[in-house]
C-alpha cells in the first residue's frame, strides 16, 4: 500500500511528558500557514475503532503480547483509515507515536523479543515507515513530573521510563538516518517547532512548493 505514497510521513517519539502533542499542534499550524496540507494523528487512536482500542489498552492491565497486539491493531486501522489516504493525497502526516513506541515499550521495557516486535510492526504497517522520526529526548524523571494524563505506563514509575528511553536509543541505533533527536532542555514550543521545521526544509525542501 505504500507505493501510492506522495506525502511526507513524520512520527514523533519520546517517553512520557516529552511534549510531543504540544509540538505537533504548533508544527501543524506553522505548516498550514506555509500552505501545506497536514494530517495530525496519534497512536493509539486517531479514528473511532482505534480510539476504542486505546480505551482498553490504557485502562486495563493485560499480558504484554495482548498489549502489543492491541497497539498493532490500532496502528493497522489508523493507517488504513487516515494515514495512507492522507499520504496519497500528498499531505504531511504528523503522527504522535508509531512503531518505535512498540519497540521501546513492549520490546525493550516489557521484554518481548525485539525481532518479534519488529515482525509485528511490519505486519501492521505492511512496511510503511516514516521518512523522519523526531525523538524528543527528555530526562525521564523530568518528563514524568510534567506528564499529565496519569495513564498506567506513567504509574510504573521512573525506572520503566528509563528502560523505554533505552529502547528508543536502540531503535535509533538500528536506523540512525531516519531520526532527528532533540534534547529537551526547557525550549519553548516555538523553538522546538523551528528546529523541526528547519529539518523538514533541509530534508524535504518543504519550504519550496513542489506541487
Ligand atoms: P498517551 O496518553 O498518548 O501518552 P503520550 O502522551 O505519552 O503519548 O498514551 C499512549 C501510551 O501508550 C503511552 O504511555 C505509550 C504507550 N504505547 C505503547 O506502549 N506502545 C505503542 O506501540 C504505542 C503507540 C504507545
Amino acid at each position: 500500500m505504500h507505493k501510492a505514497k506522495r506525502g511526507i510521513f513524520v512520527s514523533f517519539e519520546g517517553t512520557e511528558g516529552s511534549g510531543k502533542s504540544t509540538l505537533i499542534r504548533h508544527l501543524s499550524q506553522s505548516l498550514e500557514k506555509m500552505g501545506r496540507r497536514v494530517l495530525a494523528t496519534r497512536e493509539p487512536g486517531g479514528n473511532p475503532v482505534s480510539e476504542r482500542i486505546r480505551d482498553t489498552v490504557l485502562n486495563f492491565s493485560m499480558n504484554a503480547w495482548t498489549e502489543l497486539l492491541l497497539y498493532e491493531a490500532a496502528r493497522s486501522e489508523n493507517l488504513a483509515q487516515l494515514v495512507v489516504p492522507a499520504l496519497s493525497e500528498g499531505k504531511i502526516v504528523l503522527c504522535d507515536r508509531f512503531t518505535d513506541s512498540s519497540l521501546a515499550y513492549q520490546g525493550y521495557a516489557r521484554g518481548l523479543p525485539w525481532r518479534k516486535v519488529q515482525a509485528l510492526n511490519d505486519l501492521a504497517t505492511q512496511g510503511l515507515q516514516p521518512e523522519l522520526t523526531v525523538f524528543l529526548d527528555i530526562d525521564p524523571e523530568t518528563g514524568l513530573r510534567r506528564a499529565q494524563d496519569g495513564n498506567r505506563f506513567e504509574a510504573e514509575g521512573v525506572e520503566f521510563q528509563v528502560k523505554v528511553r533505552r529502547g528508543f536509543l536502540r531503535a535509533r541505533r538500528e536506523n540512525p538516518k531516519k531520526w532527528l533527536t532533540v534534547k529537551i532542555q526547557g525550549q519553548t514550543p516555538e523553538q522546538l517547532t523551528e528546529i523541526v521545521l528547519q529539518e523538514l526544509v533541509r530534508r524535504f525542501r518543504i519550504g519550496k512548493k513542489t506541487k
Side-chain angles (χ1 to χ4, degrees):
M1 66 176 164
H2 46 286
K3 298 236 165 63
K5 189 165 123 180
R6 290 171 34 227
I8 303 167
F9 186 16
V10 185
S11 65
F12 294 78
E13 301 283 8
T15 51
E16 310 298 322
S18 57
K20 294 175 282 90
S21 45
T22 311
L23 169 60
I24 290 172
R25 222 171 32 247
H26 280 76
L27 190 59
S28 299
Q29 285 168 1
S30 299
L31 287 166
E32 277 165 359
K33 276 195 204 130
M34 292 164 73
R36 311 303 304 209
R37 290 180 309 146
V38 179
L39 168 74
T41 188
R42 68 169 179 180
E43 282 201 359
N47 68 87
V49 171
S50 306
E51 289 291 335
R52 292 293 282 269
I53 298 174
R54 176 188 179 88
D55 246 25
T56 305
V57 78
L58 292 184
N59 291 307
F60 295 88
S61 12
M62 57 190 72
N63 84 68
W65 287 108
T66 309
E67 196 176 279
L68 174 62
L69 289 164
L70 287 176
Y71 282 114
E72 299 296 359
R75 177 165 301 138
S76 168
E77 190 59 23
N78 202 42
L79 283 172
Q81 284 202 30
L82 287 182
V83 174
V84 170
L87 288 173
S88 64
E89 288 164 19
K91 289 186 181 159
I92 299 177
V93 174
L94 309 177
C95 193
D96 192 340
R97 299 195 180 280
F98 197 57
T99 45
D100 295 303
S101 277
S102 299
L103 286 167
Y105 281 79
Q106 282 68 50
Y108 202 94
R110 292 266 192 252
L112 295 184
W114 188 265
R115 300 283 163 224
K116 292 214 162 120
V117 179
Q118 276 179 329
L120 285 167
N121 278 343
D122 285 347
L123 191 74
T125 60
Q126 302 190 26
L128 179 75
Q129 290 219 6
E131 272 75 36
L132 173 67
T133 293
V134 178
F135 175 43
L136 299 186
D137 189 13
I138 193 166
D139 162 56
E141 205 168 337
T142 312
L144 259 192
R145 246 181 280 125
R146 281 175 28 166
Q148 305 274 323
D149 26 291
N151 74 32
R152 66 189 181 88
F153 293 92
E154 287 169 21
E156 302 211 29
V158 73
E159 268 163 43
F160 187 80
Q161 295 302 314
V162 168
K163 279 196 209 155
V164 170
R165 177 171 180 273
R166 289 201 193 114
F168 282 127
L169 297 182
R170 173 164 178 195
R172 184 180 69 178
R173 272 200 304 280
E174 292 195 344
N175 196 356
K177 286 212 191 95
K178 195 192 68 165
W179 289 65
L180 168 69
T181 301
V182 183
K183 189 115 195 105
I184 299 300
Q185 296 162 318
Q187 302 95 325
T188 62
E190 289 75 18
Q191 288 169 326
L192 293 174
T193 300
E194 200 43 47
I195 292 170
V196 179
L197 267 182
Q198 275 177 18
E199 186 74 10
L200 291 174
V201 170
R202 194 180 71 74
R203 287 195 190 219
F204 312 112
R205 300 163 60 83
I206 56 126
K208 316 206 164 105
K209 276 235 166 187
T210 49
K211 273 191 277 178

